[in-house]
Amino acid sequence: MANLWRGVLHEYADRLDVTEKTPIITLGEGGTPLIEAPALSKRTGARVWVKFEGMNPTGSFKDRGMTMAISKAVEAGAKAVICASTGNTSASAAAYAAHAGITAAVLVPEGKIAMGKLSQAVVHDGSLIQIQGNFDDCLDIARELAEHYPVHLVNSVNNDRIEGQKTAAFEIVDVLGDAPDFHYIPVGNAGNYTAYTRGYTEALGHGDSTTLPRMFGFSAAGSAPIVTGQVVKNPETIASAIRIGNPASWELALAAREATNGYFGAIEDAKILEAQKILAAEVGIFVEPASAISVAGLLERADAGQVPAGSRIVLTVTGHGLKDPQWALRAADGSDITPTVVKAETTEVASVLGLAKAGA
């Protein structure tokens, strides 16, 4: 009989701040697949795996941190939680709060959230408020509310979130038998870059691995404050999940880069969309644009001659493609992709497919 995955707080309880007094609020998050990607290996000369975090319960990596944040909030007696979000955090917070039987208030930028994520926050009965501003405005308000009103903040400025998210690194080491040489990851608020570094560092200290991977983080060119060293007041990118101009974990991420001899880079939107299609068409993994930046970053570094042949590389793709599917339906020239329509005749279909009748 197969063993049922119990969620990250059960599976890694010995490495987290979980006690008998902690009510475990779980939807079975974690245990996501680590998929070898021969097509990407062929393109780069490295051996590449993809950690597909879109297979979490609400479709993104946020669930790892949210199970920890909501569990600790309930342990502290919280009856309501609040978060600022570009989409995925709001979906996760609303789902886990619903499971815990408490209220979730979510603040999102007006008109800057993908419908797939907005629908999740709504259907999980989150108290959704759209702010006439960007994500950074939302986070400022969420922080002030948590400071002065009886609500518990569950953004990644809450260390419980980082603690939960570090478990993805544990899973990678468990599967590979060691840490990879490089890890590529999207950077928006930079909490996940920090979390993976923490997880890999702890795995090394625990004796589970023999090396600390170099952490490579990538932001969209129109929203790359850590790369430029300046706050971006009006960040713009089609990769809505990482459209953040003043990352909450900025200083922690810089420390993580220093600790791992890491790297931060910026990628243009066109390259992000190109990578999304490559990952889907050649590897079979459909991700939202923000996730595809890991792939785009790998290809950019390979083109620059910065990917050592034979090195072991893991890419984290953070959210499922169904979160923000509109971009998959656009051609490279910006036009809409539409299905081919033919008559209900076998010969018509065969003709479109370029098939010749057997024996002909």
Side-chain angles (χ1 to χ4, degrees), residues 69-226:
I70 298 293
S71 294
K72 297 301 286 186
V74 173
E75 182 180 354
K79 301 299 182 184
V81 297
I82 191 167
C83 70
S85 179
T86 54
N88 283 327
T89 299
S90 67
S92 186
Y96 279 81
H99 193 62
I102 64 175
T103 298
V106 295
L107 309 182
V108 300
E110 183 183 26
K112 298 290 187 177
I113 177 174
M115 289 305 295
K117 302 168 189 179
L118 182 65
S119 64
Q120 286 181 287
V122 171
V123 78
H124 291 307
D125 206 24
S127 296
L128 181 73
I129 301 173
Q130 295 197 57
I131 304 297
Q132 293 178 335
N134 58 31
F135 169 83
D136 302 306
D137 298 318
C138 294
L139 183 55
D140 287 343
I141 294 170
R143 282 172 143 163
E144 290 179 17
L145 287 169
E147 184 177 351
H148 299 292
Y149 297 85
V151 290
H152 192 95
L153 185 64
V154 292
N155 276 100
S156 57
V157 292
N158 179 339
N159 187 59
D160 293 330
R161 283 277 308 280
I162 304 297
E163 282 289 289
Q165 288 165 208
K166 75 182 181 183
T167 59
F170 297 159
E171 291 176 20
I172 291 166
V173 171
D174 288 344
V175 172
L176 296 182
D178 204 343
D181 301 308
F182 298 86
H183 192 111
Y184 283 62
I185 194 166
V187 172
N189 231 1
N192 221 21
Y193 186 96
T194 302
Y196 271 86
T197 300
R198 185 180 298 180
Y200 281 128
T201 300
E202 291 183 12
L204 180 61
H206 200 260
D208 295 330
S209 61
T210 64
T211 186
L212 189 64
R214 293 187 67 193
M215 293 293 301
F216 277 50
F218 294 90
S219 299
S223 180
I226 297 180

Side-chain angles (χ1 to χ4, degrees), residues 36-46 48 278-279 281-284 299:
E36 190 156 11
L40 297 180
S41 299
K42 184 177 180 180
R43 281 176 173 267
T44 62
V48 182
I278 288 171
L279 186 63
E282 299 184 16
V283 183
L299 298 177

Side-chain angles (χ1 to χ4, degrees), residues 15 91 113 163 176 224 242 248 258 261 299 313 349-350:
R15 308 190 202 183
I113 177 174
E163 282 289 289
L176 296 182
I242 54 174
E258 185 72 19
N261 188 27
L299 298 177
I313 298 176
V349 176

Side-chain angles (χ1 to χ4, degrees), residues 5-11 24-32 55-57 63-68 96 171:
W5 180 264
R6 301 171 296 162
V8 297
L9 299 195
H10 285 299
E11 299 292 338
I24 306 299
I25 310 301
T26 179
L27 292 171
E29 62 293 316
T32 55
M55 297 302 286
N56 276 296
D63 295 343
R64 289 183 183 276
M66 203 57 67
T67 182
M68 185 73 176
Y96 279 81
E171 291 176 20

